[in-house]
Amino acid sequence: MTAHVHYELLHTCKQSGARLGRVTTPHGSFETPVFMPVGTKGTVKTMTPEELMALGSEIILGNTYHLYLRPGEGIVGEAGGLHRFMNWPRSILTDSGGFQVFSLKAINKPSEDGVIFRSHIDGSKHLFTPEKSMAIQQTLGSDIVMAFDECTVWPIDKTGARQSLEKTARWLERCVNAWDHDKPQALFGIVQGSTYADLREESARLTTSFDLPGYGIGGLSVGEPAALMNDMLEALMPHMPSHKPRYLMGVGSPDYIADGVLRGVDMFDCVLPTRIARNGRVMTSEGDVTIRNAVYKRDFTPLDPACSCYVCQHYSRAYIRHLLSVDEILGLRLTTWHNLHYLMQLMQSIREAIRNDRFGSFHAEFMALLAEQARSRR
Amino acid sequence: MTAHVHYELLHTCKQSGARLGRVTTPHGSFETPVFMPVGTKGTVKTMTPEELMALGSEIILGNTYHLYLRPGEGIVGEAGGLHRFMNWPRSILTDSGGFQVFSLKAINKPSEDGVIFRSHIDGSKHLFTPEKSMAIQQTLGSDIVMAFDECTVWPIDKTGARQSLEKTARWLERCVNAWDHDKPQALFGIVQGSTYADLREESARLTTSFDLPGYGIGGLSVGEPAALMNDMLEALMPHMPSHKPRYLMGVGSPDYIADGVLRGVDMFDCVLPTRIARNGRVMTSEGDVTIRNAVYKRDFTPLDPACSCYVCQHYSRAYIRHLLSVDEILGLRLTTWHNLHYLMQLMQSIREAIRNDRFGSFHAEFMALLAEQARSRR
């Protein structure tokens, strides 16, 4: 199969083994490790595409489940695909919908064929199969398409975890077969196996036996302790091909990102920075700040005194707190902008550290800083 | 008193008598007729200051009542005034709070001293007087400060209207006396008199007897027919000094603006364009469009095919309808942006027509177009 997405390993950090790479898609290229802002319903909440590009975003994520329900992938297709529909000229990765339909626990019905679920909007019944997920994502026209997998909850017993990873592998084969190889899109398989090192290795073997342009790592950051996630990444990575990008799905907190990079992860996504922003929580060099708190009522300093972003250059904590207090949309825009800037800057610092063979020190210092901030908040 | 705001009459349309002028404040200057977007709570809803400036906005309005309640004018003052608090470097006009506290009908208690009202937020009791309104607006630091007046409802009997305009005149004297003449701000008096031509003339005489840098026209566009509003403007204008700007308060629909300009009005404000935008209604060269309607689900044309704005250059009706359907903030941003662009462009066209001595024709053609659009919608 012709690969429409290429990964180039630019440099391996001599101090830590962390990877600096470059991914090229039909809509551009970007350096990794990369953080992908989540545009659930065809928009990264509150932001225009131009603003995202100004922040340095080169790739965003779209959610197949949500776009399938509204507006329906057919309308997106008629618009010329998701890029044109939402005015985003750079790369897009879509998930398979698997994570969402498995999250609808009470109403989904998994079988070998796929998952029957009820829409969270109107309760209508729908069936997602590997073939259906592929068809929807092809219509959406994303650059990177994720395989339809069965994501396990945590904890799950080993038998359940094994069944899930085996089903995921069978579904991957169906995804590959359903795949239209002529479309300028790349299919990524997904490794499962919950928190069992041998199952992760088994899943990696099964998944990478399909020679795909990249691989997702699913079923982590779903409630298990950070140390366990890191153990799994360490067990898994020796079995992942070094010339393909590795995408740790659903991870976006600064500490987890740093931990993932240290263990060879290249791509991350999470709603965290944008979701906590809308709850009035901002990420700063001094730790998270809940800007809604009354203590900031008369605080005329920026969200983060060390930050160079548009928001921190022009607005005070007192103003942003006021906006959030009176439910003004600009408040949500400013906190979102700032949090995305924080994460994009963190990724840039991480890439610089790898380039300069000092990511081991960077990681140690960064984790010590976060621990210190957590202590001082207690 | 030193005037901190100057009006220069640049040109009177030979065809219609409409006025092209220039207002200069401590924060810049702008041509009139001008439309002032409303930034009720220290933000023009959904917009950044930079976006407003990109649309050509030179002056915005702030609401004294709302800012007094939240965050409190003290905090705005500590921030260095409203300009700095909200990052708006150009001109600001604040209303007096009078319109809002009189709108709180059930709970306000007007007296000669002022108005006792209950906050719409927590029911707490407050007293607004002319002196209090002046003090708040001075703390906010707006460039143009409106006198505290008694705005009449419509209809009102002649005795009531007369009492109100006389009280407004007595309060204006108190505003002038309470005024700190050293502050770089200008106080505008307000003409009342409801829909009685002789009372309008009487109020104009009383109000302009204070030699103020500008005058508001209040108590119109409060439910009376358009023809009656126009009659009042015609009765009033001969008694307004030609070397001072005239601000028709709360008027922002395209037809009323055109009618006002024809009768010599220089300044307008209204929440209309931004409010209807958030309800999914956009102003276009083909008339208003309710973009939420299902008929636009697959309409991949711009909001207004004749529009050159950022929104119309990059997004389809189908996309914006989708955003509004799924409650995405970007949808509200795009409709607001477009509507403000529409009004700013209308004002520019109006100024060009006056400059070229053809505003009479412009007005006639514009009103005919609106009438035609209303007919075809029936």
Side-chain angles (χ1 to χ4, degrees):
Chain A
M1 136 174 33
T2 315
H4 298 286
V5 166
H6 301 275
Y7 174 79
E8 186 189 353
L9 178 59
L10 299 177
H11 184 71
T12 302
C13 174
K14 292 187 178 61
Q15 194 185 48
S16 67
R19 295 147 53 93
L20 180 75
R22 172 168 291 281
V23 171
T24 304
T25 84
H27 286 88
S29 78
F30 50 88
E31 281 195 347
T32 57
V34 70
F35 175 78
M36 304 180 282
V38 179
T40 307
K41 299 172 185 173
T43 163
V44 174
K45 286 188 196 305
T46 83
M47 303 284 289
T48 64
E50 289 79 6
E51 288 164 354
L52 289 168
M53 289 191 280
L55 288 175
S57 292
E58 303 271 2
I59 176 168
I60 61 173
L61 192 139
N63 281 121
T64 289
Y65 167 79
H66 289 286
L67 292 169
Y68 161 80
L69 289 178
R70 292 185 302 191
E73 75 280 10
I75 286 178
V76 178
E78 284 174 46
L82 188 53
H83 293 85
R84 279 192 63 182
F85 187 57
M86 69 181 289
N87 181 36
W88 174 254
R90 297 187 179 172
S91 302
I92 298 178
L93 178 150
T94 43
D95 64 6
S96 69
F99 184 80
Q100 276 79 18
V101 301
F102 281 100
S103 302
L104 303 170
K105 265 294 147 213
I107 50 178
N108 74 47
K109 288 190 185 172
S111 71
E112 183 59 30
D113 186 36
V115 188
I116 294 171
F117 62 94
R118 285 189 186 279
S119 154
H120 73 285
I121 302 159
D122 61 6
S124 55
K125 252 170 122 177
H126 303 263
L127 168 67
F128 262 25
T129 61
E131 293 78 12
K132 175 88 178 175
S133 175
M134 291 302 99
I136 298 171
Q137 293 184 76
Q138 290 188 31
T139 302
L140 295 176
S142 45
D143 300 283
I144 299 176
V145 161
M146 298 306 295
F148 190 69
D149 63 331
E150 186 165 283
C151 182
T152 46
V153 295
W154 186 85
I156 186 171
D157 65 38
K158 201 163 179 177
T159 309
R162 181 184 297 279
Q163 284 168 352
S164 238
L165 83 84
E166 288 172 350
K167 188 192 274 185
T168 293
R170 290 191 300 275
W171 283 2
L172 177 55
E173 184 164 15
R174 285 168 59 188
C175 288
V176 170
N177 290 336
W179 190 244
D180 179 349
H181 296 184
D182 294 335
K183 292 253 180 187
Q185 300 177 293
L187 172 64
F188 279 24
I190 300 174
V191 174
Q192 291 289 348
S194 188
T195 46
Y196 303 98
D198 54 340
L199 295 189
R200 284 283 165 187
E201 182 180 337
E202 167 73 3
S203 182
R205 194 185 54 73
L206 287 168
T207 308
T208 60
S209 73
F210 299 88
D211 184 31
L212 298 169
Y215 301 98
I217 303 164
L220 289 178
S221 189
V222 291
E224 80 285 1
L228 201 46
M229 179 186 86
N230 290 331
D231 287 350
M232 289 307 108
L233 291 175
E234 285 168 17
L236 175 62
M237 285 308 178
H239 309 285
M240 302 294 281
S242 65
H243 60 298
K244 301 288 175 70
R246 303 143 177 185
Y247 159 34
L248 182 53
M249 303 173 76
V251 164
S253 65
D255 50 347
Y256 277 44
I257 287 177
D259 278 351
V261 168
L262 187 68
R263 290 160 181 90
V265 173
D266 307 299
M267 300 167 70
F268 302 87
D269 82 285
C270 196
V271 295
L272 180 97
T274 44
R275 179 170 292 166
I276 67 174
R278 296 195 307 283
N279 292 327
R281 194 153 169 200
V282 292
M283 303 161 114
T284 84
S285 60
E286 297 165 352
D288 283 8
V289 169
T290 302
I291 205 68
R292 279 183 182 277
N293 287 350
V295 68
Y296 302 114
K297 217 169 170 175
R298 296 186 139 79
D299 186 337
F300 300 108
T301 64
L303 292 179
D304 183 352
C307 179
S308 65
C309 84
Y310 163 73
V311 180
C312 290
Q313 296 308 303
H314 293 98
Y315 304 93
S316 66
R317 292 174 170 191
Y319 179 63
I320 294 169
R321 182 192 177 274
H322 161 66
L323 291 179
L324 296 175
S325 302
V326 297
D327 295 323
E328 284 287 353
I329 281 171
L330 184 60
L332 309 179
R333 290 183 58 187
L334 298 181
T335 52
T336 301
W337 180 293
H338 171 82
N339 277 2
L340 284 177
H341 178 268
Y342 175 89
L343 262 192
M344 301 312 285
Q345 285 303 112
L346 174 64
M347 299 316 292
Q348 197 174 306
S349 301
I350 285 174
R351 291 192 298 266
E352 279 311 296
I354 298 173
R355 207 186 308 273
N356 297 319
D357 295 313
R358 55 171 182 79
F359 182 73
S361 314
F362 179 99
H363 177 271
E365 288 157 19
F366 186 64
M367 297 308 270
L369 176 70
L370 294 182
E372 172 57 34
Q373 286 166 356
R375 258 194 309 280
S376 72
R377 219 168 301 129
R378 242 178 261 140
Chain B
M1 135 174 32
T2 315
H4 296 288
V5 166
H6 301 275
Y7 173 79
E8 186 189 353
L9 178 59
L10 298 177
H11 184 71
T12 302
C13 175
K14 291 188 179 61
Q15 194 185 48
S16 67
R19 293 147 54 94
L20 181 76
R22 174 168 289 283
V23 170
T24 304
T25 84
H27 285 89
S29 77
F30 49 88
E31 280 195 348
T32 57
V34 70
F35 175 77
M36 304 180 283
V38 179
T40 307
K41 300 172 184 172
T43 163
V44 174
K45 288 190 194 304
T46 82
M47 303 285 289
T48 64
E50 289 79 6
E51 289 164 354
L52 289 169
M53 289 191 280
L55 288 176
S57 292
E58 303 272 2
I59 177 168
I60 61 173
L61 191 139
N63 282 120
T64 290
Y65 167 79
H66 289 286
L67 293 168
Y68 161 79
L69 289 178
R70 292 187 301 193
E73 75 279 12
I75 286 178
V76 178
E78 284 175 46
L82 187 53
H83 293 86
R84 280 192 62 182
F85 187 58
M86 69 181 288
N87 181 35
W88 174 253
R90 298 187 179 172
S91 303
I92 298 178
L93 178 149
T94 43
D95 66 5
S96 68
F99 184 79
Q100 276 79 19
V101 300
F102 280 99
S103 302
L104 303 170
K105 264 295 146 214
I107 51 178
N108 75 48
K109 288 191 188 174
S111 71
E112 183 59 30
D113 186 37
V115 188
I116 294 170
F117 61 95
R118 286 189 185 279
S119 154
H120 72 285
I121 302 160
D122 62 5
S124 55
K125 253 171 121 176
H126 303 263
L127 169 66
F128 262 26
T129 61
E131 293 77 13
K132 176 85 178 174
S133 175
M134 291 302 99
I136 298 170
Q137 293 184 75
Q138 290 188 31
T139 303
L140 295 175
S142 45
D143 300 283
I144 299 176
V145 160
M146 299 306 295
F148 190 69
D149 64 330
E150 186 166 282
C151 182
T152 46
V153 295
W154 184 84
I156 187 171
D157 65 39
K158 199 162 179 177
T159 309
R162 180 184 298 280
Q163 284 168 354
S164 237
L165 83 84
E166 288 172 350
K167 187 191 274 185
T168 293
R170 291 191 300 275
W171 282 2
L172 178 55
E173 184 165 14
R174 285 168 59 188
C175 287
V176 170
N177 291 336
W179 190 245
D180 179 350
H181 296 184
D182 293 334
K183 292 252 178 188
Q185 301 176 293
L187 172 63
F188 279 24
I190 299 175
V191 174
Q192 290 289 349
S194 189
T195 46
Y196 303 98
D198 54 339
L199 294 189
R200 284 282 164 187
E201 182 180 337
E202 168 72 3
S203 182
R205 194 184 54 72
L206 287 167
T207 307
T208 60
S209 73
F210 299 89
D211 184 32
L212 298 169
Y215 300 98
I217 302 165
L220 289 179
S221 190
V222 290
E224 80 285 0
L228 201 47
M229 179 185 86
N230 290 332
D231 286 349
M232 289 306 108
L233 292 176
E234 286 169 17
L236 175 63
M237 284 308 177
H239 309 284
M240 302 294 281
S242 65
H243 60 298
K244 301 288 176 69
R246 303 142 178 186
Y247 159 34
L248 181 55
M249 303 173 75
V251 165
S253 65
D255 50 346
Y256 277 44
I257 287 178
D259 279 349
V261 168
L262 187 68
R263 290 162 181 88
V265 173
D266 307 299
M267 299 167 70
F268 301 87
D269 82 284
C270 196
V271 295
L272 180 97
T274 45
R275 180 170 291 166
I276 67 173
R278 296 196 307 284
N279 291 327
R281 195 153 167 199
V282 292
M283 302 160 114
T284 84
S285 60
E286 297 164 352
D288 283 8
V289 169
T290 302
I291 205 68
R292 280 183 181 278
N293 287 350
V295 68
Y296 302 114
K297 215 168 170 174
R298 296 187 139 80
D299 186 338
F300 300 107
T301 64
L303 292 180
D304 183 352
C307 178
S308 65
C309 84
Y310 163 73
V311 180
C312 289
Q313 294 309 302
H314 293 98
Y315 303 93
S316 66
R317 292 174 170 190
Y319 180 64
I320 293 169
R321 181 192 178 276
H322 162 66
L323 292 179
L324 296 175
S325 303
V326 298
D327 295 323
E328 284 287 353
I329 281 170
L330 183 58
L332 308 179
R333 290 184 59 187
L334 298 182
T335 52
T336 301
W337 179 294
H338 171 82
N339 277 1
L340 284 176
H341 179 269
Y342 176 89
L343 263 192
M344 301 312 285
Q345 284 303 111
L346 174 65
M347 300 316 292
Q348 197 174 308
S349 301
I350 286 174
R351 291 193 297 268
E352 280 311 296
I354 299 173
R355 207 187 308 274
N356 297 320
D357 295 315
R358 55 173 183 79
F359 182 72
S361 314
F362 179 98
H363 178 270
E365 288 157 19
F366 187 63
M367 297 307 270
L369 177 70
L370 294 182
E372 172 58 35
Q373 286 168 355
R375 257 195 310 280
S376 74
R377 219 169 301 127
R378 242 178 259 141

